[in-house]
Amino acid sequence: MKRELGISIYPDHSDPASDRAYLKKAADLGFTRIFMSMLEVTEGKEKVSQKFKQLIEYGNELGFETILDIAPSIFDELAISYDDLSFFAELGAAGIRLDEGFDGNKESLLTFNPQQLAIELNMSNNVAYLDNILSYEANRPYLYGCHNFYPQRGSALPYDFFVACSQRFKQQGIKTAAFVTSQVGTVGPWDVNDGLPTLEEHRDLPIEVQARHLFATGLIDVVIIGNAYASDEELEKVAAIDRYKLSFTVEPVPAISEVEQKILTDQNHFRRGDITAQTARSTQVRVKYAQVPNPPHDENEIFQVGDVVIGNDAFGKYKNELQIILEPHRDPRKNLVGKIPQQELVLLDFLKPWTKFKFISA
């Protein structure tokens, strides 16, 4: 399934001109999904329709798909029914997200709505909710999943629980989404906003690291920035990530040689299939650069987890092999060429046999 990037808009807490400018910036960078909250609407059907429709239609012109986050109270507030979703279709939305669930059969019936709106389910519960809906023969192409975000510090999902919840959807081939948080955005749905991530461990991380982590799990198809407004720099950094290949920032050592710099930037790194616990080995570069000398430097270090090393001239046939250190050790036949930042070491867990990966210069 193709992977996408998204942003969030809160029309009841933001300025329409600022929203439009934000949408244009994101669209120009390749973002294609809008999460738009309707949880806070209180102005009546006519005003709500005008406010949301203009913004959604502008997003549609820019190539976005908008999913509206709704709760049962919205239907009462707007005097509409779950049996008739035409109001949301008239706004131009591509789908609605059910913040709360029903009995399974109801959700199944909703996926057959004549407006062909996607019905997005809350993914952040490790229960057989999806299985129940599918047992009622839901219309799968119109069924999406999306995790919650968590404004209160300490309240977001732990990683293992996130995996268990996500696997229920991914194993069924359902399109999945989760949230990362801007470190500068202050707009969200509620009066508490300590950031809006799905995963608690993401709350204070750079936004591009959060996004790379979610994609690296292989469980999330759409990464959405939960709060508004992300900075231009954050948008650009998220847009620049490789959504399909594992990547690591590397901080090169001052003594890195020309051949080592070329090896680092090689786009064809993959972890050897017969893995070792001590290092993740990229061996094809040693073949490519077999005839290029590589004198020792920074070779007497005790290499630490996340260090990147390359075999020097003393390493015989393994000269110019690249390795990422997974267990501390010392070996003077290897040159230290760079370090993966501490905050990215979590990504090492995704270096499986044959995993393709690349490095990004710090």
Side-chain angles (χ1 to χ4, degrees):
M1 196 171 291
K2 288 187 176 181
R3 294 176 174 176
E4 303 174 60
L5 299 171
I7 56 173
S8 301
I9 297 290
Y10 300 92
D12 287 299
H13 299 285
S14 57
D15 169 65
S18 298
D19 287 342
R20 291 169 74 92
Y22 189 51
L23 288 174
K24 183 65 168 65
K25 288 177 190 174
D28 288 345
L29 290 168
F31 287 71
T32 55
R33 173 77 79 89
I34 300 171
F35 170 89
M36 192 175 291
S37 177
M38 290 193 82
L39 298 181
E40 314 92 83
V41 297
T42 57
E43 297 176 303
K45 194 171 185 177
E46 187 174 337
K47 286 188 177 181
V48 168
S49 178
Q50 183 179 15
K51 179 192 297 185
F52 280 79
K53 186 172 185 177
Q54 291 179 354
L55 201 51
I56 293 171
E57 287 184 343
Y58 181 64
N60 291 345
E61 292 172 10
L62 295 173
F64 283 102
E65 177 186 48
T66 298
I67 306 295
L68 294 170
D69 193 31
I70 63 172
S73 60
I74 300 304
F75 288 82
D76 296 332
E77 179 71 33
L78 300 177
I80 55 180
S81 167
Y82 277 104
D83 297 322
D84 181 5
L85 302 182
S86 57
F87 173 76
F88 303 109
E90 289 165 4
L91 295 181
I96 58 173
R97 180 179 185 272
L98 305 178
D99 193 54
E100 298 179 25
F102 298 100
D103 62 357
N105 189 34
K106 182 69 171 178
E107 289 91 337
S108 174
L109 290 169
L110 285 173
T111 64
F112 288 93
N113 68 87
Q115 295 80 23
Q116 295 186 316
L117 295 174
I119 304 300
E120 190 168 71
L121 308 175
N122 181 351
M123 287 175 59
S124 295
N125 289 292
N126 188 20
V127 293
Y129 176 48
L130 175 63
D131 297 334
N132 186 35
I133 294 169
L134 293 176
S135 73
Y136 285 101
E137 297 296 326
N139 192 9
R140 284 175 181 257
Y142 292 91
L143 201 58
Y144 291 3
C146 181
H147 276 284
N148 282 341
F149 51 51
Y150 296 90
Q152 179 190 157
R153 181 172 292 276
S155 67
L157 302 183
Y159 179 71
D160 290 347
F161 185 78
F162 160 84
V163 169
C165 296
S166 302
Q167 285 175 337
R168 288 182 177 272
F169 282 74
K170 199 62 180 170
Q171 288 167 357
Q172 294 288 355
I174 304 297
K175 189 179 210 178
T176 59
F179 294 93
V180 295
T181 185
S182 162
Q183 298 302 336
V184 299
T186 58
V187 182
W190 313 123
D191 55 359
V192 173
N193 190 350
D194 299 334
L196 292 176
T198 291
L199 279 167
E200 187 60 39
E201 65 188 77
H202 283 175
R203 197 173 296 274
D204 298 311
L205 290 180
I207 195 169
E208 71 277 10
V209 177
Q210 300 173 52
R212 281 154 56 198
H213 186 210
L214 285 181
F215 282 137
T217 66
L219 296 170
I220 299 300
D221 303 309
V222 187
V223 169
I224 304 170
I225 300 173
N227 46 359
Y229 302 100
S231 68
D232 290 356
E233 182 182 15
E234 287 181 319
L235 289 174
E236 290 165 4
K237 286 184 174 181
V238 172
I241 68 174
D242 191 318
R243 304 175 202 176
Y244 301 95
K245 184 185 285 187
L246 185 63
S247 59
F248 301 95
T249 304
V250 64
E251 300 168 349
V253 301
I256 189 170
S257 68
E258 183 178 351
V259 66
E260 289 168 338
Q261 189 64 60
K262 288 180 178 178
I263 290 170
L264 270 185
T265 58
D266 196 292
Q267 295 296 300
N268 296 312
H269 290 296
F270 62 89
R271 187 178 186 182
R272 230 178 122 109
D274 50 344
I275 63 172
T276 174
Q278 189 177 73
T279 63
R281 301 172 61 197
S282 173
T283 57
Q284 289 303 302
V285 284
R286 82 178 191 226
V287 177
K288 185 175 181 178
Y289 296 97
Q291 304 306 314
V292 183
N294 192 9
H297 69 83
D298 299 286
E299 76 278 18
N300 290 315
E301 307 268 347
I302 297 177
F303 304 128
Q304 302 298 320
V305 174
D307 285 353
V308 182
V309 300
I310 294 176
N312 59 41
D313 289 338
F315 215 7
K317 67 174 288 186
Y318 301 109
K319 179 185 70 174
N320 290 332
E321 174 174 305
L322 178 140
Q323 300 178 0
I324 300 176
I325 303 302
L326 303 179
E327 293 179 348
H329 67 278
R330 182 178 177 275
D331 189 336
R333 298 169 300 178
K334 304 174 186 178
N335 295 343
L336 176 68
V337 299
K339 291 179 175 289
I340 296 170
Q342 182 71 29
Q343 61 202 12
E344 294 188 23
L345 296 186
V346 65
L347 297 176
L348 296 178
D349 292 340
F350 303 99
L351 277 170
K352 309 299 183 184
W354 306 110
T355 295
K356 316 305 184 282
F357 65 93
K358 67 179 182 180
F359 296 102
I360 307 165
S361 296

